[in-house]
Amino acid sequence: MAWERGRIERKFIGDLVRLPRETKTAAVNASEERSIRYDAATRKFEVQGEQFVAEIPNDTVTITVLKDGNDDVSESDWELTCFPDGTCKPGGLQLSIDGRTFFISVSKNGDVTTGDTELPPFEDESWSAGEIETRG
């Protein structure tokens, strides 16, 4: 029984990790933004306009943190959007799986990072321009 539950949880994690990558690809291919949303009633992560789904398999998997950038958001407000140019709105989520912590993070350029720790804060990927320097 425990082996089967572990297999189902690993499949869910694999589906969930693939979801942002598939969403980014779909946005680029369709030349339209695509968003992942979480439906608390069905316990599914779904992509608007696509068939991509990751369904939380059992009660041993719980969502502990949902982030829009560095801001905590509720389940109903969480959305991870990818744009036709291949960029994404930074966001992520943190899960508890049988008491173990797991996170998925998507950066501004659409890179997906995962780990067995708490969801790290997003770093600002912009910088201020310097002053104009007169040469010659």
Side-chain angles (χ1 to χ4, degrees):
M1 204 62 168
W3 180 83
E4 179 65 15
R5 187 179 72 224
R7 185 190 68 74
I8 290 169
E9 289 169 355
R10 285 188 300 278
K11 181 188 178 313
F12 163 69
I13 292 299
D15 291 345
L16 192 58
V17 169
R18 277 190 299 280
L19 209 55
R21 293 179 180 128
E22 291 173 341
T23 303
K24 177 181 171 181
T25 301
V28 171
N29 290 342
S31 296
E32 293 180 351
E33 68 181 49
R34 293 285 188 256
S35 298
I36 303 170
R37 293 191 180 103
Y38 178 68
D39 182 351
T42 61
R43 297 186 58 157
K44 290 181 184 179
F45 291 90
E46 300 176 302
V47 179
Q48 146 234 346
E50 301 293 335
Q51 296 297 316
F52 312 136
V53 174
E55 183 175 358
I56 295 177
N58 53 45
D59 291 337
T60 62
V61 179
T62 57
I63 299 172
T64 56
V65 176
L66 292 168
K67 294 275 190 179
D68 181 2
N70 284 318
D71 299 327
D72 288 330
V73 294
S74 68
E75 291 176 348
S76 61
D77 292 334
W78 186 80
E79 180 176 88
L80 198 144
T81 303
C82 295
F83 304 100
D85 66 356
T87 61
C88 297
K89 187 173 180 186
L93 59 106
Q94 181 178 305
L95 304 170
S96 175
I97 305 170
D98 245 353
R100 298 180 323 271
T101 301
F102 180 79
F103 78 86
I104 298 174
S105 172
V106 179
S107 70
K108 185 176 182 178
N109 62 5
D111 292 334
V112 178
T113 306
T114 63
D116 294 331
T117 62
E118 291 186 0
L119 181 65
F122 289 94
E123 296 179 16
D124 187 11
E125 296 177 1
S126 63
W127 58 90
S128 60
E131 303 222 358
I132 297 176
E133 182 178 322
T134 307
R135 296 185 182 205

